[in-house]
Amino acid sequence: MEHLWLYVVMSIVLILTPGVDTALVTRSTIAYGKKGGAATALGITTGVIVHTLFAAFGLSAILAQSAFLYEVVKYIGAAYLIYLGISSLWFARKKQTSSTGAEQQERTYHGSSCFNQGLLTNVLNPKVALFFLTFLPQFVQPGGNTLLQFTLLGVTYAVLAIIWLFVYIYLIDLIRGWLQRPSTQRALEGITGVALLLFGLKLAFDRR
């Protein structure tokens, strides 16, 4: 693979850019602690591998060529993001009208739920599929094993992403005491809820 160093640099820049992944990990870490954030991060990176394989086997190309299929996936993904955003806003509102102890009992940690949120928000986003379809081939060497090269590039991106997300989760955990204040939790839950809601609306109204 040519220019692997350039691929790594570009991947790091893209990973560090705040977006849906950052909002989701923030939401899960605030609500469930490091375990929730880590589960979401693992779901996100699993979604990266899925999109890599889709691109390698040509499934992303089918999505790109079919306007109907693209729109279906886009609206499902947008609806899921909007649902997560509204859910966060609802919990922020509920925290304002209920006691802290009662609220924490309601937010029981479920690792599979956090993992699925990270996975589904990636897999159901056709913009991510098109990104990998156009980004990865630029670093694939002609004449080589295409599937192997796609897989190595995707795994590299996933590893870089999980490293950054785990560092981010650790940084959030360092200020856990401040985050555990009810007023702070309400504010952050509301902010991430609005962010996810806007990401969902943006995806729904975006054109290719």
Side-chain angles (χ1 to χ4, degrees):
M1 289 178 289
E2 298 181 350
H3 309 302
L4 181 60
W5 64 271
L6 179 60
Y7 173 79
V8 171
V9 171
M10 292 181 64
S11 296
I12 291 174
V13 172
L14 292 168
I15 289 167
L16 293 178
T17 303
V20 176
D21 295 345
T22 306
L24 276 177
V25 170
T26 302
R27 177 180 183 269
S28 295
T29 306
I30 293 171
Y32 307 109
K34 288 188 293 184
K35 288 183 178 180
T40 301
L42 290 173
I44 289 168
T45 50
T46 301
V48 170
I49 299 300
V50 170
H51 277 297
T52 299
L53 295 176
F54 281 177
F57 285 106
L59 297 179
S60 295
I62 296 175
L63 179 66
Q65 294 171 2
S66 173
F68 173 75
L69 183 59
Y70 180 91
E71 292 296 312
V72 170
V73 175
K74 182 184 77 170
Y75 286 122
I76 293 175
Y80 188 63
L81 283 173
I82 292 171
Y83 161 75
L84 292 178
I86 293 175
S87 176
S88 289
L89 292 174
W90 182 79
F91 276 116
R93 174 64 178 171
K94 197 170 183 181
K95 282 180 181 179
Q96 192 173 7
T97 58
S98 63
S99 64
T100 304
E103 181 60 28
Q104 288 182 350
Q105 290 177 356
E106 293 175 11
R107 298 296 294 269
T108 304
Y109 168 67
H110 295 289
S112 59
S113 176
C114 293
F115 178 87
N116 290 336
Q117 287 177 14
L119 175 64
L120 292 176
T121 51
N122 269 260
V123 173
L124 294 177
N125 190 338
K127 294 288 184 181
V128 179
L130 294 184
F131 165 75
F132 279 97
L133 181 63
T134 56
F135 181 56
L136 296 186
Q138 299 178 55
F139 302 93
V140 173
Q141 185 175 358
N145 188 319
T146 303
L147 178 59
L148 178 60
Q149 291 185 72
F150 263 98
T151 302
L152 290 176
L153 290 172
V155 169
T156 299
Y157 190 97
V159 169
L160 293 172
I162 199 68
I163 290 174
W164 159 241
L165 291 175
F166 277 7
V167 170
Y168 180 68
I169 292 167
Y170 173 76
L171 294 175
I172 295 177
D173 189 61
L174 288 179
I175 54 175
R176 170 179 285 184
W178 178 68
L179 291 176
Q180 286 179 336
R181 296 177 182 177
S183 58
T184 304
Q185 287 190 347
R186 287 196 300 269
L188 291 175
E189 192 86 52
I191 291 171
T192 54
V194 170
L196 290 171
L197 185 61
L198 291 177
F199 282 130
L201 292 173
K202 182 178 183 299
L203 177 60
F205 290 103
D206 264 355
R207 295 182 179 179
R208 285 192 291 180

